[in-house]
Amino acid sequence: MAVSLLPTFPQSLAAARSALAEQAKPLLRLQRDLASAALHHLDLAACRRRVLKGRVAYVAQRQLAGGAALDAAFLRAVDSLERAGLASNDEGRQVPRETATIASLLASWLAGERASGSGAEGVARQAAAIVGNSVLQSASEAVAAGHSWADWPSTSCPCCGGSPDLRLTEAAVDWLVCSRCDARWSSAVQGCLGCRATDEPEVIRIANPELGYVLVVCNACGLYLKERPREGTAALLVERMLTRDLEQAAEDRGLRFRA
């Protein structure tokens, strides 16, 4: 696979992260507000018991079942995208406000549909992704408080059951990061998380020094994963903004990070 799969970044990595973090301030503020609002409704003790038994802590669909609180959060997300310069006022005004449409957007995000597209549709998908991620992140943080998922046997998230899109290494331990709720759990699986292939030519690693990431690509089953040392990472929302073009380039070539 050609190295041109990975886009180059025009700035230094530190400058890029700093600029994106500044741009993302309205979105990060919204995430904190939604977390403090505790839109999830969980029996935390029961959730932790399920994880200890090797079961996913909670059903993500139930946390995103709709209601006035999520509708209001969605509209705030649209406003935050405008404030961040990621949506125009015209696009924001055209975003649908109907409860059924918002619920459909959240369900599509949960099923793995990318938060991409142009115009009002693209803004709506991004807003749904921000709300979905924020609510599930809050739920998973509540479940994981004081606990470590060091012995979790699966490559799927112990909290919401989502697929990881990042592998971060810290102190010689690999941590997978859930693409939906940002939960982290340790994993001894090297190479492909789908078919477990580890060697070339099935698995190849393509480094991108400009982004500080390595793209792990499995030619056997078409999965990819972004990996890097955890040191120096910003908020996960910022990291995903940083690597958005990388993901798009991979998926344009038929790769995916969900099994």
Side-chain angles (χ1 to χ4, degrees), residues 13 19 32 39 44 55-56 74 77 85 99 102-103 114 132 137 144 168 180 185 198 207 211 213 222 235 238 241 246:
L13 189 53
R32 291 193 296 270
L39 299 180
L44 297 180
R55 297 164 56 197
V56 173
F74 175 83
T99 294
I102 295 172
R114 282 185 59 84
Q137 180 190 86
L168 304 177
R180 299 196 306 197
W185 66 101
T198 57
L211 291 178
Y213 275 85
V238 174
M241 290 175 66
L246 170 58

Side-chain angles (χ1 to χ4, degrees), residues 153-242:
S154 174
T155 56
S156 296
C157 176
C159 293
C160 77
S163 298
D165 63 339
L166 294 169
R167 178 159 50 204
L168 304 177
T169 301
E170 182 177 42
V173 177
D174 289 337
W175 295 89
L176 298 178
V177 180
C178 180
S179 61
R180 299 196 306 197
C181 75
D182 296 347
R184 305 181 188 194
W185 66 101
S186 64
S187 173
V189 177
Q190 298 297 311
C192 179
L193 300 181
C195 68
R196 303 297 197 272
T198 57
D199 300 320
E200 295 184 357
E202 286 82 9
V203 173
I204 59 174
R205 283 178 163 81
I206 309 173
N208 183 279
E210 290 82 6
L211 291 178
Y213 275 85
V214 172
L215 194 71
V216 182
V217 175
C218 181
N219 291 317
C221 65
L223 291 182
Y224 76 89
L225 187 70
K226 298 174 294 183
E227 64 178 23
R228 60 157 289 141
R230 182 177 177 182
E231 182 180 359
T233 55
L236 289 173
L237 185 149
V238 174
E239 291 299 313
R240 292 187 176 114
M241 290 175 66
L242 180 71

Side-chain angles (χ1 to χ4, degrees), residues 80-93:
S80 295
L81 286 166
E82 292 180 28
R83 292 175 181 273
L86 298 173
S88 69
N89 291 335
D90 287 342
E91 290 170 336
R93 282 193 293 268

Side-chain angles (χ1 to χ4, degrees), residues 1 5 217-218 221-224 247-257:
M1 186 174 294
L5 174 68
V217 175
C218 181
C221 65
L223 291 182
Y224 76 89
E247 292 179 355
Q248 189 65 59
E251 296 189 10
D252 285 348
R253 287 159 175 79
L255 301 170
R256 65 196 191 284
F257 65 84

Side-chain angles (χ1 to χ4, degrees), residues 1-127:
M1 186 174 294
V3 175
S4 60
L5 174 68
L6 298 177
T8 58
F9 213 84
Q11 311 174 59
S12 73
L13 189 53
R17 278 196 171 86
S18 177
L20 288 175
E22 182 66 27
Q23 183 181 20
K25 276 185 176 179
L27 307 178
L28 294 169
R29 188 179 305 116
L30 175 63
Q31 278 194 328
R32 291 193 296 270
D33 289 349
L34 293 182
S36 65
L39 299 180
H40 57 84
H41 305 282
L42 297 171
D43 181 338
L44 297 180
C47 289
R48 290 166 187 153
R49 286 196 297 270
R50 281 194 287 270
V51 174
L52 291 174
K53 293 178 181 179
R55 297 164 56 197
V56 173
Y58 62 84
V59 178
Q61 289 86 342
R62 293 177 185 170
Q63 304 307 313
L64 300 177
L70 288 184
D71 289 356
F74 175 83
L75 296 180
R76 283 194 61 192
V78 173
D79 179 68
S80 295
L81 286 166
E82 292 180 28
R83 292 175 181 273
L86 298 173
S88 69
N89 291 335
D90 287 342
E91 290 170 336
R93 282 193 293 268
Q94 295 173 38
V95 167
R97 262 68 174 169
E98 298 82 7
T99 294
T101 303
I102 295 172
S104 177
L105 288 165
L106 287 168
S108 295
W109 171 79
L110 197 61
E113 190 167 320
R114 282 185 59 84
S116 59
S118 59
E121 179 183 357
V123 174
R125 292 188 183 282
Q126 289 182 67

